[in-house]
Amino acid sequence: MKMIFPIFFAFSLLVSHSCANILFDYCVGDLSLPSGPAGYSCKDPTTVTVNDFVSSNLRVPGNTANIFKFGATTALVNQFPGINGMGISMLRSDMDVGGVVPIHTHRVSELIIVVEGTILAGFIDTNNTAFYKTLNKGDVMILPPILLHFQVNVGSTPSVVYATFPSENPGVQVLSAALFQSSLPSEIVEKITLLDHAQVKKLKKVFGGIN
């Protein structure tokens, strides 16, 4: 009995602390103002409507007319103000046959579910171990935060994948774009990638980089 009271007391403090942090029902983002580390400022509650809590973005297929045969549509906070402060967002990924989601990283973890088609998805950890598997319709995979990850359509039909993130704005950095679409001088890219000058210049031209 002596042990139960301290445990109950600690649990009560935890619950009361969690409840004390919920000061508002919601904080719909005011997209007319700049965002900061804490997200957007709250919209005037008297102007909030149900439409702030609804997004139809993911109905629209991503544009796959590009070098990767891949396109994405997103429901992030800057398009979906109702998720401001909620710590969640979603994305739709479309790939044509042979298409790829190029290797990239986010600030947070990612949970994907295959809605149509067959893909190969995976990530590489900090020990340079690759974890990858062929996924079919209905399969779910978790991709840890920060780590480089990718998807490839290995099926005979276009694929559709939905992803969810524990953040309203998970951020994304595509490795190839970071190297070849940026203003980083070609000489530096050559040194840090071991690619030759001609290859770097070719890729800079493809991705629209300078220097």
Side-chain angles (χ1 to χ4, degrees):
M1 188 69 179
K2 291 181 179 179
M3 288 296 295
I4 293 176
F5 180 75
I7 294 172
F8 176 76
F9 180 70
F11 179 73
S12 299
L13 286 177
L14 178 63
V15 171
S16 60
H17 176 70
S18 298
C19 292
N21 284 335
I22 303 176
L23 302 178
F24 303 96
D25 293 335
Y26 45 78
C27 174
V28 173
D30 186 343
L31 304 188
S32 68
L33 299 174
S35 64
Y40 285 93
S41 298
C42 301
K43 186 177 177 180
D44 181 349
T46 62
T47 67
V48 171
T49 72
V50 68
N51 291 330
D52 291 313
F53 303 100
V54 177
S55 172
S56 299
N57 287 11
L58 303 190
R59 292 183 185 180
V60 182
N63 182 4
T64 59
N66 54 66
I67 191 171
F68 293 114
K69 300 181 181 180
F70 152 73
T73 51
T74 57
L76 307 181
V77 68
N78 58 330
Q79 306 139 338
F80 189 9
I83 64 173
N84 189 51
M86 300 288 184
I88 192 169
S89 58
M90 291 191 72
L91 172 150
R92 169 179 171 157
S93 166
D94 289 87
M95 284 183 284
D96 289 340
V97 175
V100 301
V101 179
I103 196 159
H104 65 284
T105 183
H106 303 285
R107 291 187 284 259
V108 295
S109 56
E110 177 180 0
L111 184 71
I112 63 172
I113 179 169
V114 181
V115 178
E116 296 291 344
T118 300
I119 69 168
L120 178 76
F123 63 90
I124 303 168
D125 73 9
T126 55
N127 293 314
N128 293 324
T129 302
F131 296 85
Y132 57 95
K133 188 169 184 177
T134 298
L135 305 177
N136 296 295
K137 183 176 180 178
D139 288 340
V140 174
M141 184 174 186
I142 186 69
L143 303 168
I146 306 300
L147 300 181
L148 292 166
H149 54 280
F150 59 90
Q151 297 170 32
V152 182
N153 184 344
V154 293
S156 57
T157 60
S159 66
V160 179
V161 177
Y162 284 94
T164 185
F165 306 93
S167 170
E168 307 98 288
N169 184 17
V172 61
Q173 186 173 42
V174 179
L175 183 58
S176 52
L179 288 171
F180 307 114
Q181 197 174 1
S182 70
S183 60
L184 192 63
S186 297
E187 294 77 12
I188 296 177
V189 177
E190 291 162 27
K191 289 181 182 297
I192 64 178
T193 63
L194 300 181
L195 294 172
D196 63 38
H197 182 74
Q199 189 66 25
V200 169
K201 285 297 186 182
K202 175 183 176 181
L203 290 169
K204 284 255 186 179
K205 185 176 181 180
V206 168
F207 286 96
I210 57 175
N211 294 336

